[in-house]
């Protein structure tokens, strides 16, 4: 990175030198016959270009980093004007003060133009570095959030198996196999940025089948998909926390009859995911806003900033309505 920065600096300054040289030669082209030889004409242009660039380089590599960037503005202005005046005097004193004045204003113009180019380039570099840092931070945060999903889902699933084993259910071995398949999908999807929406919905369906066996007949689960799933993709494990919460804070928290209704609707490129679960008559003192829900909210902010998420905590039911654009980056 350091060598690349040096190469870029050399390249840009060589280009600036060449540009100033061309402009200088063109500016005195009409008076080229006043020079004794073609060589002396080009050497005059070269020397003049070098003279201008030395002042610009002193400003860029000494005055700006050591004075301007450290907010020593008064000293910076004094030294810049001073070096321009000294340069104009050295170059023009052999002719007249009129020439010195012309040189002074010409060097102010060229130095100002160089400064404008310098600050424009630096602004572009700073903006690029800021964007790269934000992107890196976003990737780090997303990876951290994705890593949190695995233990959270496993914890909830193991609780389901534990409940079946306590009931000495003959379906426990089958449920263990189903869980292993769910975990296999989760581990594989965690390595990807996106998965097929079809696969993600199949994962949710299989999870609901597992929970249905554990909850037996005391919970009625409806899972409906409307619209063309097609080849849409979605961030992995993005929808499952809403489903887990519906099970945990609805059917799992009561022995009464309960319901969970999940509707997935695809209209154009918009996915509407609605989860409605009945609430138990006696509400325990547990918080609905768990780790999984906070996690998915943060992922939605990072991945789908234009999403809409409406959560309604009503007297007899709890509703979550999520809408995201599947074509969004």
């Amino acid at each position: 990175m350091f060598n690349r920065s040096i190469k870029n600096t050399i390249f840009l300054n060589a280009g600036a030198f060449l540009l100033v040289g061309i402009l200088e030669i063109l500016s005195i082209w009409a008076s080229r016959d006043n020079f004794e030889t073609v060589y002396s004409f080009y050497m005059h242009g070269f020397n003049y270009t070098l003279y201008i660039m030395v002042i610009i380089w002193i400003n860029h590599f000494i005055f700006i980093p050591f004075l301007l960037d450290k907010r020593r503005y008064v000293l910076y202005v004094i030294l810049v004007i001073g070096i321009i005046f000294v340069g104009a005097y050295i170059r023009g004193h052999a002719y007249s003060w009129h020439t010195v004045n012309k040189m002074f204003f010409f060097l102010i113009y060229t130095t100002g133009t160089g400064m404008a180019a310098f600050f424009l380039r630096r602004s572009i570099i700073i903006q690029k570095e800021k964007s790269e840092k934000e992107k890196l931070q976003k990737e780090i945060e997303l990876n951290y959030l994705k890593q949190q999903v695995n233990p959270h889902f496993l914890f909830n699933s193991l609780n389901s198996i534990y409940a079946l084993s306590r009931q000495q259910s003959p379906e426990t071995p089958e449920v263990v196999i189903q869980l292993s398949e769910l975990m296999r999908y989760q581990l594989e999807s965690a390595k990807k940025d996106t998965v097929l929406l079809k696969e993600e919905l199949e994962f949710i369906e299989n999870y609901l089948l597992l929970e249905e066996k554990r909850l037996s007949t005391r919970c009625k689960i409806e899972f409906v998909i409307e619209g063309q799933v097609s080849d849409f993709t979605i961030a992995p494990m993005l929808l499952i926390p809403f489903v887990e919460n519906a099970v945990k804070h609805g059917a799992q928290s009561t022995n009464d009859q309960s319901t969970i209704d999940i509707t997935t609707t695809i209209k154009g490129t918009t996915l509407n995911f609605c989860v409605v679960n009945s609430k138990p008559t006696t509400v325990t003192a547990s918080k609905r806003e768990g780790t999984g829900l906070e996690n998915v909210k943060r992922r939605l902010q990072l991945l789908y900033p234009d999403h809409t998420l409406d959560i309604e905590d009503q007297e007899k039911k709890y509703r979550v309505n999520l809408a995201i654009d599947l074509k969004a980056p």
Side-chain angles (χ1 to χ4, degrees):
M1 181 65 73
F2 182 71
N3 291 333
R4 184 194 226 174
S5 178
I6 291 177
K7 288 179 181 178
N8 288 339
T9 301
I10 293 173
F11 176 78
L12 287 170
N13 281 277
F17 187 94
L18 181 62
L19 180 61
V20 172
I22 292 172
L23 292 175
E24 172 57 24
I25 290 172
L26 291 175
S27 68
I28 60 173
W29 186 261
S31 59
R32 64 186 182 281
D33 294 335
N34 296 333
F35 293 88
E36 295 179 0
T37 62
V38 175
Y39 174 77
S40 62
F41 168 72
Y42 284 109
M43 280 304 298
H44 174 83
F46 174 81
N47 291 332
Y48 206 87
T49 300
L50 184 61
Y51 195 79
I52 294 172
M53 290 303 299
V54 166
I55 294 177
I56 291 175
W57 285 333
I58 290 173
N59 181 42
H60 285 184
F61 296 111
I62 299 177
F63 291 169
I64 289 177
F66 293 102
L67 297 175
L68 186 64
D69 286 348
K70 294 183 179 179
R71 300 183 179 181
R72 302 171 71 178
Y73 303 124
V74 175
L75 183 58
Y76 171 76
V77 171
I78 292 172
L79 288 179
V80 167
I81 294 176
I83 193 173
I84 291 175
F85 180 80
V86 170
Y89 179 77
I90 293 173
R91 191 73 185 180
H93 81 285
Y95 302 96
S96 65
W97 275 103
H98 177 69
T99 306
V100 172
N101 290 335
K102 287 180 66 176
M103 279 294 301
F104 179 77
F105 287 107
F106 178 73
L107 289 175
I108 284 182
Y109 170 75
T110 53
T111 304
T113 303
M115 286 180 65
F118 171 82
F119 285 116
L120 177 61
R121 176 174 174 268
R122 187 160 72 168
S123 176
I124 292 172
I125 291 173
I126 291 173
Q127 188 62 38
K128 183 179 178 183
E129 289 177 350
K130 182 181 178 181
S131 298
E132 288 176 350
K133 287 179 182 178
E134 289 177 351
K135 182 180 179 182
L136 179 61
Q137 182 63 35
K138 182 177 177 179
E139 289 176 354
I140 291 172
E141 187 173 359
L142 280 172
N143 286 333
Y144 172 73
L145 292 172
K146 284 170 70 176
Q147 289 169 3
Q148 281 188 322
V149 172
N150 285 337
H152 186 267
F153 175 76
L154 180 60
F155 177 77
N156 287 344
S157 300
L158 287 176
N159 276 342
S160 298
I161 294 176
Y162 174 71
L164 284 173
S165 64
R166 286 286 301 271
Q167 299 169 12
Q168 296 183 348
S169 171
E171 293 183 330
T172 302
E174 184 182 346
V175 171
V176 171
I177 294 174
Q178 286 181 330
L179 176 60
S180 68
E181 291 299 318
L182 292 173
M183 290 305 301
R184 188 194 309 278
Y185 170 80
Q186 191 193 38
L187 291 172
E188 290 176 354
S189 66
K191 301 173 186 176
K192 305 173 184 178
D193 292 329
T194 59
V195 294
L196 288 174
L197 177 60
K198 179 182 177 182
E199 294 177 352
E200 190 73 4
L201 295 178
E202 286 176 353
F203 170 77
I204 292 174
E205 185 177 17
N206 291 332
Y207 171 76
L208 290 171
L209 289 173
L210 183 149
E211 289 296 336
E212 219 170 15
K213 291 178 180 178
R214 179 176 68 87
L215 298 171
S216 186
T217 58
R218 62 187 177 89
C219 180
K220 181 181 178 183
I221 299 176
E222 291 287 340
F223 183 50
V224 179
I225 300 175
E226 299 176 353
Q228 185 63 40
V229 176
S230 187
D231 295 325
F232 288 125
T233 58
I234 191 171
M237 307 296 294
L238 191 68
L239 306 176
I240 192 66
F242 299 115
V243 180
E244 287 183 292
N245 270 14
V247 174
K248 180 179 178 181
H249 298 283
Q252 188 175 313
S253 60
T254 181
N255 290 322
D256 299 333
Q257 190 67 30
S258 58
T259 60
I260 298 175
D261 295 319
I262 302 172
T263 305
T264 305
T265 307
I266 298 96
K267 292 182 179 179
T269 62
T270 301
L271 168 70
N272 287 286
F273 189 71
C274 183
V275 181
V276 181
N277 66 271
S278 58
K279 291 174 64 176
T281 306
T282 304
V283 181
T284 59
S286 62
K287 290 185 178 180
R288 182 82 184 205
E289 300 275 334
T291 304
L293 197 55
E294 288 302 313
N295 185 312
V296 75
K297 282 182 178 181
R298 183 56 184 153
R299 288 182 71 198
L300 283 167
Q301 290 173 359
L302 293 170
L303 295 170
Y304 303 95
D306 295 327
H307 75 280
T308 57
L309 177 62
D310 296 321
I311 298 178
E312 300 175 16
D313 192 355
Q314 301 174 4
E315 183 180 353
K316 294 184 178 181
K317 62 183 178 180
Y318 193 90
R319 176 190 296 271
V320 175
N321 203 340
L322 170 66
I324 59 174
D325 184 1
L326 295 172
K327 288 297 183 182

